[in-house]
Every structure is written in structure tokens, then in C-alpha cells.
């Protein structure tokens, strides 16, 4: 009996020891497993932590490139602005230069207009016949000994009132200068103006010819005041015009 109890005690103790040992081993094994799991988790967590770090690096690189691009664009924009400013300055300078030239031209023209005489001689050639009686009748003008085709000019501002053929005058131009003053240019080979056309002093109106009652190429020039034919020479002198020397004799 005593041996059986002792045996049972040993068996019980062994069982307890086995159970205890198993529990301890299980506990230890569990702790080891937990430790491994923790290490795996930590490793996973480290991996998870390292992923945002790579992303930040990439985003930083992108931001750096973007900033560089913006800087480059800023440099290009500044260069473009400078080029535009220079182009505008050149255009402004050119416009000012053109304006100055136009102003100078306008001033020169105004000075030329101011210096231009109000009256001129119809021809630079000498006078071959004067106003007065000739061959038993009135020679109502003066003749200038122009060569065939030489230009004849208007003596002053006016409006053409006649331009065509007229009996003994041949090709004739008549200009109305206002205030009852008219001038006439006869014997032309070609008429250069039309009726209604305005004339300036020195403007060509006729080419010298030998048309009508003419003994040779010349200009027959008349001045009419209120329709009456007057001596052109004194009238021209009153206007400050002195024709070439009288060569009648």
C-alpha cells in the first residue's frame, strides 16, 4: 500500500512536473513567438515608415525641378520683357525720328510757301513785242520770244476759265485771279490745264507754239482788268515782277 501511494505520489508529481514544464515551455514558446511577431511587426513598421521617406525624397526632387523650371521661366520672361522694352524703345525712337522729319519737312514747305512770290513772269525769255498799236490796230499784249515747246507758266494763283482754241489766239488759256484780274496766254502748241483747275504761281499751263495768227513761235500774253485789256508790263511791275529786257528794237 505504502509503495502504491508512493508510486502514485511520484506519478502525480511527475504529472504536475510535466504539466508545469509544458506550461512553462508553452509560455516560453509563446513569448518567443510573440517576440518574433513583434520583430516582424517592427520590421513591417520600419518598411512602412521607410516608404513615406522615399516619397518625400521624390516629391522634394519634383519640387526642386519645378522651382528650377519656374526660375528658368522667370529668367526667360525677364529676357522677353527686356527685349520687348528695347523693341518699344526703338519703335518710339523711330516714331520720334519720323515725326521730327515730317515736322522739318512741313516747316520747310511752309517756309518755301512763304518765300514763294505771289506773282511771277509768264516767261523768262526776252520780250519781242510790246503793248500798243501795230499795223494799224491795237496789239493788246506783250510777246515773249520763246522757242517752240518751251513751257509757259501762270503768273499767279487763280482758276482756269478757258482752255482751248480761239480765232487768232490759236490755243489759248485764260486764268481768273480774282478781283476782276484775268491773264491770257496765246499761240500755244499744247494746253496743259483744264477749265476749273486751280493754278499756282509758276505752274506750267501751256507750251509755246505758233498757232492762230502768228508769225513764228512765241507767247502772246495779256492782262485784263474788269474785262479791259491793259498794258501787262506796268501791271507786272506793280506786282513786283520785272520781265526780261525788251528786245523789240
Amino acid at each position: 500500500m505504502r509503495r502504491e501511494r508512493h508510486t502514485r505520489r511520484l506519478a502525480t508529481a511527475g504529472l504536475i512536473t510535466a504539466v508545469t514544464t509544458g506550461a512553462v515551455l508553452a509560455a516560453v514558446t509563446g513569448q518567443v513567438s510573440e517576440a518574433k511577431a513583434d520583430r516582424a511587426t517592427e520590421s513591417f513598421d520600419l518598411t512602412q515608415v521607410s516608404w513615406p521617406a522615399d516619397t518625400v525624397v521624390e516629391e522634394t526632387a519634383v519640387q526642386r525641378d519645378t522651382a528650377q523650371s519656374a526660375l528658368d521661366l522667370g529668367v526667360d520672361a525677364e529676357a522677353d520683357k527686356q527685349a520687348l522694352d528695347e523693341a518699344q524703345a526703338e519703335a518710339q525712337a523711330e516714331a520720334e525720328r519720323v515725326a521730327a522729319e515730317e515736322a522739318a519737312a512741313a516747316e520747310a514747305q511752309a517756309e518755301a510757301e512763304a518765300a514763294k512770290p505771289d506773282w511771277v513772269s509768264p516767261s523768262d525769255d526776252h520780250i519781242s513785242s510790246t503793248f500798243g498799236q501795230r499795223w494799224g490796230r491795237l496789239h493788246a499784249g506783250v510777246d515773249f520770244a520763246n522757242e517752240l515747246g518751251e513751257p509757259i507758266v501762270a503768273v499767279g494763283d487763280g482758276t482756269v476759265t478757258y482752255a482751248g482754241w480761239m480765232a487768232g489766239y490759236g490755243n489759248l488759256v485764260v486764268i481768273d485771279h480774282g478781283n476782276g484780274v484775268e491773264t491770257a496766254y496765246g499761240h500755244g502748241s499744247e494746253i496743259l490745264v483744264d477749265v476749273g483747275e486751280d493754278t499756282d504761281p509758276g505752274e506750267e499751263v501751256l507750251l509755246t507754239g505758233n498757232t492762230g495768227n502768228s508769225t513764228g513761235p512765241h507767247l502772246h500774253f495779256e492782262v485784263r482788268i474788269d474785262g479791259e485789256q491793259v498794258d501787262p508790263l506796268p501791271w507786272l511791275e506793280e506786282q513786283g515782277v520785272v520781265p526780261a529786257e525788251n528786245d523789240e528794237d
Side-chain angles (χ1 to χ4, degrees):
M1 289 293 288
R2 185 177 299 173
R3 180 176 296 178
E4 290 178 355
R5 285 195 213 104
H6 179 72
T7 302
R8 284 198 296 269
R9 286 194 191 104
L10 289 176
T12 301
L15 178 60
I16 291 171
T17 301
V19 170
T20 302
T21 301
V24 170
L25 289 174
V28 171
T29 302
Q31 290 176 356
V32 170
S33 298
E34 289 178 359
K36 289 181 179 181
D38 290 341
R39 284 197 299 272
T41 302
E42 288 176 359
S43 176
F44 176 77
D45 290 343
L46 287 175
T47 303
Q48 292 290 81
V49 169
S50 66
W51 176 79
D54 293 340
T55 302
V56 169
V57 170
E58 292 177 358
E59 290 180 353
T60 301
V62 170
Q63 292 175 356
R64 183 188 66 241
D65 293 342
T66 301
Q68 184 62 45
S69 298
L71 180 60
D72 293 341
L73 288 175
V75 172
D76 292 341
E78 182 63 25
D80 291 342
K81 181 178 181 302
Q82 183 177 356
L84 178 60
D85 291 342
E86 291 176 355
Q88 290 177 339
E90 291 178 0
Q92 180 66 26
E94 178 64 15
E96 291 175 355
R97 184 188 67 78
V98 171
E101 288 181 354
E102 291 178 348
E107 183 178 357
Q109 182 176 0
E111 291 176 354
E113 290 291 333
K116 184 173 65 177
D118 294 330
W119 302 95
V120 299
S121 175
S123 170
D124 291 333
D125 283 295
H126 62 272
I127 294 173
S128 58
S129 180
T130 58
F131 181 90
Q133 292 295 321
R134 190 176 66 180
W135 303 331
R137 61 188 181 87
L138 178 64
H139 180 245
V142 294
D143 293 342
F144 290 84
N146 291 61
E147 298 291 335
L148 186 65
E150 287 184 345
I152 306 302
V153 302
V155 296
D157 293 333
T159 302
V160 177
T161 57
Y162 189 90
W165 185 274
M166 181 178 288
Y169 290 100
N171 286 322
L172 176 70
V173 171
V174 178
I175 299 175
D176 183 359
H177 302 281
N179 297 320
V181 178
E182 292 179 309
T183 54
Y185 314 76
H187 302 313
S189 62
E190 182 179 353
I191 296 173
L192 305 178
V193 292
D194 297 317
V195 172
E197 183 176 336
D198 291 333
T199 62
D200 294 322
E203 180 180 347
E204 296 181 6
V205 297
L206 191 74
L207 297 182
T208 302
N210 189 32
T211 59
N213 295 334
S214 173
T215 58
H218 69 283
L219 164 67
H220 177 80
F221 174 71
E222 294 183 3
V223 174
R224 304 167 183 175
I225 306 296
D226 296 327
E228 180 181 354
Q229 296 162 320
V230 300
D231 190 343
L233 293 180
W235 181 86
L236 286 171
E237 290 176 359
E238 289 176 3
Q239 314 315 316
V241 178
V242 178
E245 181 182 357
N246 185 346
D247 192 39
E248 184 181 17
D249 297 330

